[in-house]
Amino acid sequence: MAKDIFGQALWDHFKTAKSAKLFINNKYGPKEEMPLDIYFRGEDEMPDLELLALDQCKGRVLDIGAGAGSHALVLQQRGIEVTAMDISGKAVAIMQERGVKQAIEHDIFNYGGEKFDTLLLLMNGIGLCGNIQQLRVFLQHTKKLLKPGGQLLFDSSDIAYLYEGNPPAGNYYGELWYQYAYKGQKNEWFQWLYIDADTLIQVAAEEGWAIEILDEDDMDGYLARLMPID
């Protein structure tokens, strides 16, 4: 099994608030420190796009890639039935200790359980697709997890600014490679997707989804709602 370095860093931060620094290596520049506090924010610390997404949630909600469960806790407090899913067992343990009532360890690509009214992925949670082709797989798979009239809500951003007008040739420029480094350990390199709104609109249409861009921020980020049309 792959090392759960991110989950371990979250766990240490949760238990001690004095965890070692978590770094993320990339292939476009110097390594960056991953702040862990943001995974434990309260509602009053969340950015507008995330708050809007929470306001748009309806019915039974599946929070995918829920991390430490901060969004699920807000939804619970609002009386919404939410299941929080993460692939990290450590993250699920944190959510359970923080009071998330339904927290499950699962890979969304292999999940075939109950159906939901809202599928939610925040903090660029859609990045778990890694690349455009896997996003297409995700969009086909998640149709099976939605009730009639259901919706998929997620935020992402256009990262063209990273390349100062000269995006790399070949693969889509939002398909990045990352590697976590923590306490002298590293995991395997993995892909993480950032997708600009125009490309998402095209992909969604090709995969049979209606899409609405609900809002944008001043950092090239946006919130999208997708609903199956076939």
Side-chain angles (χ1 to χ4, degrees):
M1 182 178 177
K3 296 176 184 176
D4 185 11
I5 289 178
F6 177 71
Q8 187 62 55
L10 275 184
W11 178 262
D12 291 348
H13 185 83
F14 176 59
K15 286 298 185 180
T16 69
K18 295 179 181 179
S19 58
K21 291 182 178 180
L22 173 67
F23 289 96
I24 188 161
N25 298 320
N26 61 68
K27 297 190 177 183
Y28 56 80
K31 69 179 181 182
E32 302 170 290
E33 183 180 352
M34 285 282 289
L36 294 167
D37 286 345
I38 62 172
Y39 296 96
F40 296 89
R41 294 170 299 173
E43 184 173 359
D44 59 344
E45 300 172 287
M46 294 177 182
D48 290 343
L49 286 183
E50 292 179 25
L51 294 173
L52 176 59
L54 295 174
D55 289 343
Q56 294 294 317
C57 288
K58 64 178 184 179
R60 297 189 65 232
V61 177
L62 178 63
D63 182 2
I64 302 165
S70 294
H71 301 110
L73 286 170
V74 173
L75 292 174
Q76 269 185 199
Q77 291 163 3
R78 296 182 180 186
I80 293 174
E81 184 181 353
V82 55
T83 298
M85 173 190 292
D86 205 281
I87 200 169
S88 164
K90 291 285 189 182
V92 171
I94 292 168
M95 289 192 278
Q96 291 169 338
E97 289 203 26
R98 294 185 76 200
V100 176
K101 295 175 183 177
Q102 299 181 65
I104 60 174
E105 180 182 351
H106 221 293
D107 181 342
I108 184 60
F109 289 99
N110 298 327
Y111 185 70
E114 305 169 82
K115 294 193 175 186
F116 297 85
D117 300 287
T118 299
L119 304 180
L120 179 69
L121 302 95
L122 290 180
M123 299 175 68
N124 198 69
I126 198 65
L128 60 81
C129 293
N131 55 60
I132 297 289
Q133 184 55 42
Q134 195 66 7
L135 173 62
R136 294 182 185 277
V137 173
F138 175 86
L139 291 175
Q140 291 301 320
H141 175 59
T142 49
K143 286 180 184 179
K144 304 170 188 174
L145 303 181
L146 283 174
K147 295 180 180 180
Q151 62 176 349
L152 170 61
L153 293 171
F154 62 83
D155 60 337
S156 194
S157 58
D158 184 353
I159 60 165
Y161 67 87
L162 285 177
Y163 304 101
E164 299 179 344
N166 295 298
N171 294 341
Y172 173 64
Y173 65 80
E175 299 174 354
L176 301 184
W177 285 94
Y178 285 132
Q179 179 191 57
Y180 288 123
Y182 181 68
K183 289 186 174 179
Q185 290 192 309
K186 297 177 181 178
N187 64 350
E188 298 296 324
W189 286 90
F190 62 93
Q191 272 193 304
W192 193 256
L193 178 65
Y194 292 87
I195 185 167
D196 69 277
D198 289 339
T199 301
L200 176 62
I201 289 168
Q202 178 182 344
V203 172
E206 291 170 355
E207 299 302 325
W209 293 76
I211 180 170
E212 178 183 5
I213 304 300
L214 297 176
D215 200 7
E216 299 175 325
D217 64 20
D218 56 3
M219 296 179 289
D220 297 312
Y222 63 89
L223 175 67
R225 175 180 16 236
L226 283 69
M227 300 179 70
I229 55 177
D230 60 2

